Amino acid sequence: VLFRSSIEINRMQIGDAFTGIAGPLGQPSELHRYDPKKQTVVFTAGGLGLQHLARPDCRRLCVFGTGVQARIQTSFALRLMPSLDELRYVSVDGAPDPAFEAQFAPRCRPQLATDRDAAVAASDLVITATPGAGPLFSASAVQPGTHLNCVGADTQGKRELPPGLLE
């Protein structure tokens, strides 16, 4: 299912722009202007971003969360990125989630990550789908070329990414 903003983004050409972006449940998205001389930051929809921005040879996936949204995002990633064969996950309570593991075991090797930073550092793709109570990992854990799909910080006051990551 693609929503209006995803369809518009998919039709865009290099240099195109549009205004009035609405985020989850029609709430406004907060966009920031970054200095293009210092870094490249691209914001796009999850599946669209995976198809067009993630490295096609991604093998290692790290997922924060094991709930409905985490399962949806993981399913999309595994379907869109056939090269993915390792799945590390971080559950809310730090305990194994047998149902999460069983859902993805036919496709890859799900493993509970006990060290968040090590899991991120060893991953090509990181998905965050949590309630967004605070940073989930250190900025220094993110390696060059890592693709991030962050869906949990969907309203003001929520945060999944560490300070300094996008600065």
Side-chain angles (χ1 to χ4, degrees), residues 44-93:
T44 187
L48 186 64
L50 283 175
Q51 289 178 300
H52 298 287
L53 299 175
R55 294 189 329 261
D57 63 344
C58 288
R59 288 190 45 248
R60 297 171 310 261
L61 168 62
C62 178
V63 179
F64 285 82
T66 59
V68 172
Q69 190 58 243
R71 291 170 192 242
I72 290 169
Q73 295 296 322
T74 301
S75 294
F76 273 111
L78 293 171
R79 184 165 10 117
L80 295 172
M81 307 292 295
S83 58
L84 289 170
D85 60 5
E86 292 180 27
L87 169 58
R88 291 178 185 87
Y89 71 95
V90 177
S91 63
V92 173
D93 60 4

Side-chain angles (χ1 to χ4, degrees), residues 18-159:
F18 71 98
T19 60
I21 298 174
L25 305 175
Q27 299 300 310
S29 293
E30 186 175 328
L31 301 178
H32 301 275
R33 184 177 308 263
Y34 294 93
D35 183 348
K37 295 176 185 170
K38 294 182 180 176
Q39 69 271 332
T40 300
V41 178
V42 178
F43 296 94
T44 187
L48 186 64
L50 283 175
Q51 289 178 300
H52 298 287
L53 299 175
R55 294 189 329 261
D57 63 344
C58 288
R59 288 190 45 248
R60 297 171 310 261
L61 168 62
C62 178
V63 179
F64 285 82
T66 59
V68 172
Q69 190 58 243
R71 291 170 192 242
I72 290 169
Q73 295 296 322
T74 301
S75 294
F76 273 111
L78 293 171
R79 184 165 10 117
L80 295 172
M81 307 292 295
S83 58
L84 289 170
D85 60 5
E86 292 180 27
L87 169 58
R88 291 178 185 87
Y89 71 95
V90 177
S91 63
V92 173
D93 60 4
D97 186 326
F100 184 85
E101 290 183 18
Q103 180 174 347
F104 300 110
R107 172 62 176 78
C108 58
R109 301 179 316 242
Q111 297 176 346
L112 178 67
T114 56
D115 182 329
R116 294 168 175 229
D117 281 354
V120 169
S123 296
D124 303 307
L125 168 59
V126 176
I127 295 173
T128 62
T130 72
L136 300 172
F137 48 85
S138 302
S140 60
V142 179
Q143 302 302 303
T146 302
H147 183 89
L148 300 169
N149 268 14
C150 306
V151 300
D154 56 359
T155 58
Q156 187 173 6
K158 291 185 175 183
R159 181 180 196 124

